Amino acid sequence: MKQSSILLIYTGGTIGMVKDYASGALKAFNFDKLLESIPEIKQLDCHVDSVSFKEPIDSSNMNPSHWVQIATLIEENYDSHDGFVVLHGSDTMSYTASALSFMLENLGKPVIFTGSQLPIGDLRTDAKENLITSIQIAALRKKNKPVVQEVGLYFEYKLYRANRTTKINAEHFQAFASLNYPELIESGVFLKVSEEYLLRNRGRKKFTVHKEMDQNVAILKLFPGIGPLVLQSVVRIPGLKALVLETYGAGNAPTEPWVIDILREAKEKNIHIVNVTQCSGGSVSMGRYETSKQLEELQVINGKDITTEAAVAKLMYLLGSNVSPKLFKSIFETSLRGEIEEN
């Protein structure tokens, strides 16, 4: 078997920072000197190349144009590399990784997102372990085929399906969770692979990269005391095409008439409304309670157990793909990349 070739893509973020001990300031890491700075990578049975954004960015500044940059780098290097590791700031990593899962259709190779809570040069950094294990996972093969054939997110000893993740902590090393889907791989003395949870590309269709992401999407989180002016101001945003509505519990919303009237107004404007629970875990179950029955009757899209991050990315992808309004609801409620429960 030939040695796997892995491409590191550095976009920015804490993981790519080192401390300048003379000034005490953090500065971007020179990835051309990666093997010199992290000699442990030489122990991995793979060849590692690296490429960086010309201007590394903080993930708080990440937007769909940067997602296209990442997707394009993967597209350009897809045939020459066996796997990809994307180094990214943790704050918006779940958004970017979810978006890439939709943009990369019929993916047959691993694309692993990772980052860190502390800079790579810090004494107590989590960056080295996250980086080294992500490369190792990207290089994993079985019967000469990649073990992982989807977009994953690796952090603190666990690989998750990227579009199932959300950032849950700004200070702990265990910064991410996948509350509605099990981890794919757990790192310990050995890598424990849960193959039954992995996506499989049967190789029947060609790898395709989608680069049209429609940004005319909004998120509104319901709260006790929300008034009609707030909801109206959102659904009347010029050019709005879709709204992620973060509801209570299993998809519940106030039953006051003005709520339904305003949402009906949005539907009449062909604005797609997705019902997503604002709970960290669990699923929307419209019609289970009276407080969600009206949403069901209004044909609001059932977000089931999708994360807000994946819902936003999926909306941008479907809108950018010009999906027919008649088919939009059924396609959104269907699992495209393992991002939502099947039934």
Side-chain angles (χ1 to χ4, degrees):
M1 283 178 23
K2 72 179 182 70
Q3 193 179 50
S4 293
S5 180
I6 306 301
L7 180 65
L8 277 182
I9 300 172
Y10 175 56
T11 68
T14 301
I15 192 169
M17 299 293 175
V18 290
K19 184 179 286 187
D20 183 333
Y21 289 101
S23 66
L26 293 175
K27 61 181 182 180
F29 183 67
N30 182 355
F31 273 85
D32 291 335
K33 298 182 178 179
L34 179 68
L35 293 179
E36 294 176 26
S37 303
I38 312 175
E40 295 93 335
I41 290 178
K42 295 177 182 176
Q43 297 179 41
L44 298 174
D45 187 24
C46 61
H47 173 75
V48 180
D49 294 316
S50 65
V51 61
S52 300
F53 274 18
K54 288 183 179 178
E55 293 184 13
I57 61 169
D58 188 291
S59 73
S60 296
N61 292 320
M62 189 66 67
N63 63 52
S65 69
H66 300 116
W67 301 346
V68 172
Q69 262 187 276
I70 298 168
T72 301
L73 284 169
I74 292 170
E75 180 182 36
E76 292 172 348
N77 292 277
Y78 192 77
D79 293 333
S80 58
H81 290 81
D82 301 298
F84 304 86
V85 174
V86 182
L87 306 181
H88 191 289
S90 62
D91 285 350
T92 61
M93 191 187 297
S94 288
Y95 285 97
T96 301
S98 294
L100 264 290
S101 75
F102 296 112
M103 296 167 78
L104 306 177
E105 186 177 6
N106 300 317
L107 183 63
K109 297 179 180 182
V111 175
I112 312 298
F113 278 77
T114 195
S116 66
Q117 296 287 65
L118 290 174
I120 204 162
D122 196 280
L123 187 64
R124 296 178 51 252
T125 187
D126 55 329
K128 283 191 176 183
E129 197 284 322
N130 286 348
L131 175 57
I132 290 168
T133 306
S134 292
I135 295 172
Q136 190 175 17
I137 289 171
L140 273 182
R141 299 181 75 81
K142 184 177 181 181
K143 296 181 180 178
N144 208 29
K145 291 184 178 180
V147 170
V148 177
Q149 300 177 20
E150 60 181 288
V151 181
L153 189 156
Y154 180 82
F155 228 88
E156 189 65 4
Y157 306 116
K158 290 183 179 180
L159 177 75
Y160 304 108
R161 176 165 299 154
N163 56 33
R164 289 289 194 152
T165 63
T166 191
K167 186 174 181 181
I168 58 166
N169 201 295
E171 296 181 355
H172 293 174
F173 286 145
Q174 191 173 346
F176 290 86
S178 172
L179 295 166
N180 289 330
Y181 199 79
E183 63 265 20
L184 307 179
I185 296 177
E186 185 172 8
S187 174
V189 175
F190 304 101
L191 291 177
K192 180 184 175 183
V193 181
S194 298
E195 294 196 34
E196 66 272 28
Y197 299 128
L198 291 167
L199 283 181
R200 284 280 166 250
N201 184 340
R202 304 302 175 188
R204 296 172 190 159
K205 295 182 179 179
K206 185 182 177 183
F207 171 64
T208 306
V209 180
H210 299 272
K211 299 178 184 178
E212 296 297 324
M213 300 290 277
D214 194 319
Q215 299 179 49
N216 292 296
V217 174
I219 302 172
L220 178 63
K221 185 171 186 171
L222 296 182
F223 58 89
I226 189 172
L229 289 178
V230 174
L231 186 53
Q232 280 177 343
S233 67
V234 174
V235 301
R236 292 177 182 175
I237 293 172
L240 185 70
K241 296 180 182 177
L243 173 66
V244 176
L245 189 66
E246 288 195 348
T247 55
Y248 308 124
N252 305 311
T255 55
E256 295 173 78
W258 61 264
V259 175
I260 297 303
D261 289 344
I262 295 171
L263 293 180
R264 183 177 291 110
E265 173 192 327
K267 290 280 291 180
E268 288 170 354
K269 292 180 179 177
N270 294 318
I271 295 173
H272 303 288
I273 303 169
V274 181
N275 186 356
V276 172
T277 176
Q278 56 185 249
C279 297
S280 299
S283 179
V284 163
S285 180
M286 287 202 295
R288 182 177 172 189
Y289 296 98
E290 187 63 32
T291 44
S292 65
K293 190 70 178 173
Q294 289 177 304
L295 298 180
E296 185 179 44
E297 291 170 354
L298 200 58
Q299 287 291 294
V300 166
I301 296 170
N302 188 344
K304 302 180 185 178
D305 63 347
I306 199 169
T307 64
T308 294
E309 294 92 334
V312 169
K314 190 171 184 177
L315 284 172
M316 289 186 179
Y317 164 68
L318 293 179
L319 290 168
S321 301
N322 293 315
V323 170
S324 161
K326 290 183 179 180
L327 298 174
F328 201 96
K329 184 177 187 293
S330 62
I331 291 177
F332 192 97
E333 292 176 354
T334 301
S335 177
L336 302 180
R337 311 283 193 269
E339 75 284 350
I340 197 170
E341 65 179 347
E342 292 286 355
N343 299 315

Coordinates of all heavy atoms in Angstrom, one line a residue, residues 2 44 53 86 106 129 165 179-180 291-292 342:
K2 N 0.5 2.2 -0.9 CA 1.3 3.4 -0.9 C 1.0 4.3 0.3 O -0.1 4.2 0.9 CB 1.0 4.2 -2.2 CG -0.4 4.9 -2.2 CD -0.6 5.6 -3.5 CE -1.9 6.3 -3.6 NZ -2.0 7.4 -2.6
L44 N 4.1 9.5 11.9 CA 2.9 9.1 11.2 C 3.2 8.5 9.8 O 4.1 9.0 9.1 CB 1.9 10.2 11.0 CG 1.4 10.9 12.3 CD1 0.5 12.1 12.0 CD2 0.6 9.9 13.1
F53 N -4.3 30.0 4.0 CA -4.9 31.2 3.4 C -3.8 32.3 3.4 O -3.0 32.4 4.3 CB -6.0 31.7 4.4 CG -7.4 31.0 4.1 CD1 -7.5 29.9 3.4 CD2 -8.5 31.6 4.6 CE1 -8.7 29.2 3.2 CE2 -9.8 31.0 4.4 CZ -9.8 29.8 3.7
V86 N -8.5 20.4 7.9 CA -8.7 21.9 7.9 C -8.6 22.4 9.3 O -9.3 22.0 10.2 CB -10.1 22.2 7.4 CG1 -10.3 23.7 7.3 CG2 -10.4 21.6 6.0
N106 N -21.0 13.7 -2.8 CA -20.3 12.4 -3.1 C -18.9 12.3 -2.7 O -18.0 11.8 -3.4 CB -20.5 12.1 -4.6 CG -21.9 12.1 -5.1 OD1 -22.8 11.5 -4.4 ND2 -22.2 12.7 -6.2
E129 N -2.1 17.5 20.0 CA -2.9 16.2 20.0 C -4.0 16.3 19.0 O -4.2 15.3 18.2 CB -3.5 16.0 21.4 CG -4.0 14.5 21.6 CD -5.3 14.2 20.9 OE1 -6.2 15.1 20.9 OE2 -5.4 13.1 20.4
T165 N -22.4 18.8 15.0 CA -21.7 19.4 16.2 C -22.2 20.8 16.5 O -22.7 21.5 15.7 CB -20.2 19.4 15.9 OG1 -20.0 20.3 14.8 CG2 -19.7 18.1 15.7
L179 N -24.8 16.0 20.4 CA -25.7 15.4 21.4 C -26.8 14.5 20.8 O -27.4 13.8 21.5 CB -26.4 16.6 22.1 CG -25.4 17.4 23.0 CD1 -26.1 18.7 23.5 CD2 -25.0 16.6 24.2
N180 N -26.9 14.6 19.5 CA -28.0 13.8 18.8 C -27.4 12.7 17.9 O -28.2 12.0 17.2 CB -28.9 14.7 18.0 CG -29.8 15.5 18.9 OD1 -30.2 15.1 20.0 ND2 -30.2 16.7 18.4
T291 N -49.1 23.6 21.3 CA -48.3 24.8 21.0 C -47.4 24.6 19.8 O -46.7 25.5 19.3 CB -47.3 25.1 22.2 OG1 -46.8 23.9 22.7 CG2 -48.1 25.8 23.3
S292 N -47.4 23.4 19.2 CA -46.7 23.3 17.9 C -47.7 22.8 16.8 O -47.3 22.7 15.6 CB -45.6 22.3 18.0 OG -46.1 21.0 18.3
E342 N -33.3 10.0 10.1 CA -33.9 9.5 8.8 C -35.4 9.5 8.9 O -36.1 9.8 7.9 CB -33.4 8.1 8.6 CG -31.9 8.0 8.2 CD -31.6 8.5 6.8 OE1 -32.5 8.8 6.1 OE2 -30.4 8.6 6.5

